[in-house]
Amino acid sequence: MSRALRFLFAWLLPALLVAGCGAPESESEPRVCDTDRNPFAGRVVSFTPGDAAGFGQDRFPDIVLGPPRGGGAVMGSLDVLSLGRRGEIVLELTSLAIVDGPGVDLLVFENPFGSFVETGLVAVSEDGQTWHEFPCALTDRAGGYPGCAGVKPVFSSPDSGVSATDPAVAGGDGFDLATLGVPRARFVRIRDSGANYYSGASGGFDLDAIAVVHGEPLCTE
């Protein structure tokens, strides 16, 4: 190659690379994040009913997805799924992940009313495999069963206009990720405590819904 051609090639190569000839492939597409900000469960991962379960299964899984339909302090909702003795359900959040913010991060809604309480154990997970369970004082009736779900009445419903993500008014039982030292979670597991009343097809913990109080949009590549 002549000196002139070598000079021309050396001068043109950078320009060709800038123009894209021989340049490396472009970076992958940016992440797409959910914009709906739906705070409720989007999918049932699994449901293992226990003895005396059955109520609500004719409307499963939709009956536990979406917002709660609370009946207030003296009226238990019928928009629930009975788990039965030690029955278990795992829900996936598909729009918002729970993140640790100030105070309550997650609300779990059952259908207690008056003094009728059915307790459940709540656990969270980021990957659906490793679980962190909130401590639940099953025998502390006088103290209101701290750490358990299924204790407080539910006031939020689509008809009432009461926000399902405001712990001050929604009702239900609140859970703070800081209690477990967990920064974020995408899955929620609820298990009947085994310490409830079991009869017929509506025994045990009756799940209405869950709601994210502090969350961040879930993203896909």
Side-chain angles (χ1 to χ4, degrees):
M1 181 184 295
S2 69
R3 181 180 299 177
L5 287 176
R6 287 198 298 269
F7 176 82
L8 181 61
F9 182 79
W11 181 80
L12 284 175
L13 180 59
L16 291 171
L17 289 174
V18 170
C21 298
E25 294 181 1
S26 61
E27 295 182 358
S28 60
E29 293 294 325
R31 295 198 306 167
V32 177
C33 298
D34 192 286
T35 58
D36 290 341
R37 300 192 67 85
N38 176 11
F40 309 114
R43 187 173 78 92
V44 175
V45 177
S46 65
F47 172 44
T48 307
D51 293 340
F55 187 86
Q57 290 188 30
D58 58 330
R59 292 176 285 163
F60 179 82
D62 292 344
I63 196 167
V64 293
L65 306 179
R69 299 182 181 275
V74 296
M75 182 67 68
S77 171
L78 296 179
D79 186 66
V80 294
L81 176 71
S82 296
L83 302 189
R85 188 188 299 272
R86 301 193 185 281
E88 177 184 292
I89 190 167
V90 176
L91 304 170
E92 181 180 4
L93 296 158
T94 56
S95 181
L96 291 177
I98 313 163
V99 295
D100 185 22
V104 171
D105 303 308
L106 168 71
L107 286 168
V108 176
F109 303 100
E110 209 246 3
N111 68 343
F113 59 95
S115 60
F116 193 77
V117 170
E118 293 175 313
T119 51
L121 309 175
V122 177
V124 295
S125 173
E126 173 62 21
D127 60 6
Q129 301 296 321
T130 302
W131 291 96
H132 308 271
E133 189 170 86
F134 290 92
C136 164
L138 288 174
T139 60
D140 189 2
R141 180 175 181 177
Y145 305 100
C148 304
V151 179
K152 298 178 182 177
V154 180
F155 300 100
S156 177
S157 73
D159 297 330
S160 71
V162 176
S163 171
T165 59
D166 183 351
V169 297
D173 301 290
F175 297 87
D176 184 352
L177 292 187
T179 303
L180 304 173
V182 173
R184 195 182 107 136
R186 295 188 299 119
F187 298 87
V188 177
R189 185 185 70 198
I190 303 167
R191 180 183 299 154
D192 176 80
S193 67
N196 300 314
Y197 177 75
Y198 304 96
S199 178
S202 59
F205 187 94
D206 302 310
L207 178 63
D208 187 345
I210 65 172
V212 176
V213 176
H214 295 121
E216 65 179 19
L218 289 166
C219 304
T220 57
E221 296 294 341

